């Protein structure tokens, strides 16, 4: 690994905190990692972009998947995950997930999370797409994420773990040997800290969530701007499989011009028997897949998109009128309220739905302990690519992945602490020179990026659409670079400009990876390459950022990832873009 030397244009840190580990993010992955690190006696600091409970986790509706039901086994869960991942899952990573998952969920319950129970007193389990068994544990009917977030936040506060809220992470700090030495961050508003500061720590855990805001319509909250992936790229880390963005099939359709975060209609609604229909009331998933409406998400999203094209429509419908008022109110109160807030009553009418950007199956490449290609930098949750999801995430595996891999990261850091190797490398970070600093984009560029990505790299992609997107993104990149280098001008440092700059970074990588993968696989759908090609493309696309801000793109020789070790070389010669 070689650091790029690139960092965001920002003021020098005006304050600093010392810690053993800094966790960036406060979803299920981040708070689980923080709780386990604190329990191991590590000085732990949590940095989060908004409030502790404002991340993506609290928006999760369906639940957490684990082999907890009678007759279910980790092996069956593994099989369903591998099928959904379309040949690109790391089987060992999945085996870790499904075997360690049940106990991880039990520990979450012991932490204080309350899941819905059946009339017999055990966990009430439901099904979602791609699962052949009922193994989805849920809370509050369709408010699982909110309950998990509540329990973890309360636990963090009860243990007085130090937190820095309303803080946007900027860049990784490194020591003289290129190892992790902390992060810089900007705290928004008044509080104990304000402005740009730093947390000095020999271990950094990225748990920053997704990057759904790179598209115009998404289920992700406004804070999901790919900050962790962009930070990792600037630090020299490798990113893998970013082309595999899952578009959730059933997002409440609010109009063709709707932008920003859109209400999700959980897959659990289909798990309980809702039907997908067109405007004529005809079910169209029957005959498409043995599981019909409960096929893996990529299959359902593609079927909806095809039907929309055939009918010249911009949405389809989810019909669950047969549930009746009582079931809607008790099982899906959150979704019911969201629909009614937009003038739709699922009790009496079908719900208009369309696919929208939902989850990044790729991310910062890690090993089975969450270690990235940068020494001391870890990643877990949606920001990471552990190999669990392959080309398409199986429904409700994301919360489980956050739990399991956060615990594994904490165990690895604790082992280093016990061995005395953690504190052996706490030297002060090496100051960065003023150059090269990353030019900042104007805030309004965010909307431009989102529209470029939706048009060129959305559910349907082709070589032509991706080339157009790449050219337009490169134009934005070049314009900002030339303004800085030729005129010494860049947009004023601030949250809006940092977020827009991060979005451009992850957009360029996503498009480069999608253009490289000349096939259709999982949630990556190429109109000009409609078939899956295992001979050529049962491989991973890996991208890193060069010091001159070009992208180095290569594919692995096999479906397995190379080790995340210092100095590891790519298995193919990178192509600069």
């Amino acid at each position: 690994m070689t650091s790029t030397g690139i960092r965001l244009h920002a003021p020098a840190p005006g304050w600093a905190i010392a810690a053993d580990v800094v966790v960036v993010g406060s979803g299920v992955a981040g708070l689980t990692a923080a709780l386990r690190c604190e329990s191991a006696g590590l000085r732990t600091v949590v940095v989060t972009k908004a409030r502790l409970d404002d991340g993506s986790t609290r928006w999760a509706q369906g639940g957490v998947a684990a082999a907890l039901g009678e007759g279910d086994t980790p092996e069956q869960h593994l099989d369903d995950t591998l099928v959904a991942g379309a040949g690109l899952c790391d089987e060992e990573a999945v085996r870790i997930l499904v075997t360690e998952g049940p106990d991880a969920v039990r520990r979450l319950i012991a932490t204080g999370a309350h899941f819905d129970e059946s009339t017999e007193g055990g966990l009430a389990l439901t099904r979602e797409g791609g699962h052949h068994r009922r193994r989805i544990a849920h809370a509050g009917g369709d408010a699982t994420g909110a309950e998990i977030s509540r329990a973890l936040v309360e636990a963090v506060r009860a243990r007085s773990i130090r937190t820095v809220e309303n803080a946007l992470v900027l860049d990784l700090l490194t020591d003289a040997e290129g190892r992790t030495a902390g992060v810089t961050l900007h705290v928004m508003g008044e509080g104990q800290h304000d402005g740009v500061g730093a947390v000095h720590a020999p271990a950094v855990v990225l748990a920053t969530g997704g990057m759904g805001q790179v598209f115009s319509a998404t289920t992700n909250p406004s804070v999901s701007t790919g900050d962790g992936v962009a930070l990792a790229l600037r630090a020299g880390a490798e990113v893998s499989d970013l082309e595999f963005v899952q578009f959730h099939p059933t997002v409440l359709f609010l109009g063709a011009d709707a932008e920003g975060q859109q209400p999700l209609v959980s897959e659990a609604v289909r798990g309980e028997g809702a039907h997908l229909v067109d405007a004529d009331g005809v079910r169209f998933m029957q005959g498409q897949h043995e599981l019909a409406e409960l096929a893996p998400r990529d299959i359902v999203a593609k079927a909806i998109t095809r039907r929309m094209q055939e009918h010249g429509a911009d949405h389809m419908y989810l019909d669950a009128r047969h549930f009746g008022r009582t079931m809607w109110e008790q099982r899906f109160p959150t979704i019911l309220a969201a629909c009614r807030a937009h003038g739709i009553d699922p009790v009496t009418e079908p719900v208009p739905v369309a696919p929208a950007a939902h989850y990044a199956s790729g991310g910062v490449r890690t090993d089975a302990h969450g270690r990235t290609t940068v020494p001391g930098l870890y990643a877990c949750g949606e920001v990471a690519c552990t190999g669990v999801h392959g080309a398409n995430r199986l429904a409700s595996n994301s919360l489980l992945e956050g739990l399991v891999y956060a615990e594994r990261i904490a165990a690895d850091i604790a082992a280093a602490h016990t061995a005395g190797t953690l504190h052996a490398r706490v030297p002060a970070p090496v100051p960065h020179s003023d150059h090269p600093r990353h030019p900042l984009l104007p805030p309004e560029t965010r909307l431009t990026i989102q529209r470029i990505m939706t048009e060129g790299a959305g559910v349907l992609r082709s070589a032509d659409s991706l080339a157009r997107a790449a050219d337009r993104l490169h134009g934005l990149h070049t314009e900002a670079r030339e303004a800085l280098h030729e005129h010494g001008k860049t947009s004023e440092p601030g949250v809006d400009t940092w977020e827009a700059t991060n979005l451009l970074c992850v957009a360029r990588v996503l498009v480069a990876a999608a253009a490289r993968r000349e096939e259709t696989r999982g949630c990556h759908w190429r109109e000009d390459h409609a078939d899956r090609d295992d001979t050529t493309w049962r491989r991973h696309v890996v991208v890193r950022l060069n010091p001159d801000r070009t992208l180095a793109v290569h594919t692995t020789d096999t479906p397995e990832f190379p080790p995340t070790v210092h100095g590891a070389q790519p298995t193919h010669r990178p192509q600069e873009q």
Side-chain angles (χ1 to χ4, degrees):
M1 184 282 300
T2 303
S3 175
T4 67
I6 301 169
R7 62 187 180 113
L8 289 173
H9 187 77
W15 51 271
I17 300 171
D20 295 322
V21 56
V22 54
V23 178
V24 187
S26 62
V28 62
L31 295 188
T32 299
L35 287 165
R36 299 295 179 265
C37 285
E38 189 271 343
S39 294
L42 299 168
R43 294 177 300 163
T44 304
V45 174
V46 175
V47 173
T48 185
K49 194 172 180 180
R51 303 292 294 177
L52 274 181
D53 59 354
D54 276 348
S56 293
T57 291
R58 75 181 181 96
W59 296 98
Q61 295 174 346
V64 54
L68 296 163
E70 184 178 353
D72 198 5
T73 65
E75 199 68 26
Q76 293 175 66
H77 190 182
L78 180 142
D79 289 344
D80 285 346
T81 301
L82 295 180
V83 169
L88 278 187
C89 294
D90 181 294
E91 186 167 340
E92 181 56 29
V94 179
R95 194 170 297 280
I96 289 169
L97 179 82
V98 299
T99 55
E100 298 182 9
D103 283 342
V105 174
R106 294 182 185 105
R107 284 188 288 272
L108 177 63
I109 293 172
T111 301
H114 302 295
F115 286 88
D116 296 337
E117 296 185 350
S118 66
T119 54
E120 292 79 20
L123 287 175
L125 302 175
T126 190
R127 281 182 67 195
E128 292 186 2
H131 293 273
H132 282 79
R133 283 191 174 271
R134 287 183 171 265
R135 65 168 63 99
I136 316 299
H138 48 84
D142 58 356
T144 309
E147 171 57 19
I148 290 174
S149 181
R150 179 205 62 78
L152 292 175
V153 168
E154 287 187 5
V156 164
R157 288 176 174 158
R159 297 187 195 181
S160 300
I161 295 176
R162 189 166 189 175
T163 61
V164 182
E165 296 179 293
N166 300 307
L168 172 64
V169 67
L170 299 176
D171 283 304
L172 190 74
L173 295 170
T174 54
D175 63 17
E177 298 179 351
R179 302 180 68 93
T180 293
V183 293
T184 56
L185 61 154
H186 173 77
V187 179
M188 301 163 267
E190 297 181 0
Q192 184 177 358
H193 303 286
D194 200 4
V196 175
V199 180
H200 295 163
V204 171
V205 180
L206 292 179
T208 51
M211 55 181 192
Q213 288 290 325
V214 78
F215 294 96
S216 295
T218 177
T219 63
N220 290 192
S222 61
V223 295
S224 298
T225 51
D227 308 316
V229 171
L231 175 149
L233 284 162
R234 289 191 296 271
E238 291 184 349
V239 170
S240 185
D241 299 349
L242 218 62
E243 69 272 29
F244 295 119
V245 175
Q246 188 177 83
F247 288 78
H248 198 288
T250 54
V251 176
L252 185 62
F253 181 73
L254 301 180
D257 297 326
E259 295 179 324
Q261 186 179 8
Q262 312 290 303
L264 176 66
V265 182
S266 171
E267 194 155 313
V269 177
R270 282 175 280 136
E272 296 293 352
H275 304 146
L276 281 166
V277 299
D278 58 26
D280 298 322
V282 177
R283 290 181 65 180
F284 54 86
M285 283 306 301
Q286 293 176 311
Q288 298 276 346
H289 190 275
E290 61 169 336
L291 297 177
E293 278 89 358
L294 286 178
R297 288 179 178 174
D298 63 308
I299 293 172
V300 180
K302 290 170 185 175
I304 291 174
T305 303
R306 286 193 188 100
R307 196 71 164 195
M308 286 162 49
Q309 290 177 326
E310 292 168 1
H311 286 232
D314 49 19
H315 65 281
M316 290 285 114
Y317 296 90
L318 190 64
D319 192 351
R321 290 174 290 180
H322 53 286
F323 283 6
R325 184 178 304 278
T326 299
M327 182 172 176
W328 268 110
E329 291 176 347
Q330 294 181 357
R331 180 67 177 87
F332 301 111
T334 306
I335 299 170
L336 179 63
C339 290
R340 286 177 170 170
H342 292 282
I344 301 156
D345 188 352
V347 176
T348 60
E349 60 186 315
V351 178
V353 293
H358 182 56
Y359 189 88
S361 292
V364 184
R365 188 166 77 79
T366 74
D367 65 9
H369 301 280
R371 295 177 291 215
T372 74
T373 52
V374 176
L377 179 65
Y378 296 79
C380 57
E382 191 173 354
V383 70
C385 182
T386 62
V388 160
H389 305 306
N392 181 47
R393 175 178 67 98
L394 181 65
S396 288
N397 268 356
S398 51
L399 292 175
L400 189 70
E401 183 195 31
L403 285 172
V404 169
Y405 281 88
E407 291 187 341
R408 293 180 71 83
I409 285 173
D412 194 74
I413 296 173
H417 176 71
T418 300
T421 57
L422 191 67
H423 289 286
R425 53 180 183 83
V426 174
V430 174
H432 288 286
S433 64
D434 286 340
H435 300 286
R437 288 199 178 193
H438 205 302
L440 302 180
L441 300 174
E444 59 270 20
T445 310
R446 175 173 180 153
L447 188 59
T448 303
I449 295 168
Q450 291 171 333
R451 290 174 176 171
I452 291 171
M453 293 298 290
T454 297
E455 293 171 8
V459 178
L460 298 178
R461 304 166 180 176
S462 68
D464 288 343
S465 75
L466 291 166
R468 288 193 298 270
D471 285 345
R472 295 175 67 188
L473 294 172
H474 181 70
L476 295 175
H477 174 75
T478 300
E479 184 178 337
R481 184 179 58 188
E482 291 178 349
L484 178 63
H485 290 290
E486 296 181 11
H487 308 290
K489 296 180 179 180
T490 187
S491 294
E492 191 70 21
V495 174
D496 290 344
T497 56
W498 288 320
E499 286 185 334
T501 303
N502 285 338
L503 282 172
L504 178 61
C505 179
V506 297
R508 291 178 64 219
V509 174
L510 194 162
V511 168
R516 172 64 69 93
R517 183 171 293 280
E518 296 179 335
E519 65 159 355
T520 288
R521 180 185 297 272
C523 53
H524 175 70
W525 189 6
R526 285 283 296 262
E527 290 182 288
D528 51 345
H529 294 282
D531 298 323
R532 171 171 156 175
D533 179 2
D534 280 347
T535 301
T536 307
W537 285 110
R538 193 161 174 253
R539 306 285 188 270
H540 300 280
V541 177
V542 179
V543 184
R544 56 183 172 80
L545 186 65
N546 292 320
D548 64 358
R549 301 186 184 90
T550 59
L551 301 178
V553 185
H554 72 273
T555 55
T556 59
D557 285 330
T558 71
E560 286 71 46
F561 284 124
T564 55
V565 293
H566 182 55
Q569 296 299 312
T571 53
H572 280 177
R573 180 178 297 276
Q575 175 181 331
E576 310 300 336
Q577 297 192 3

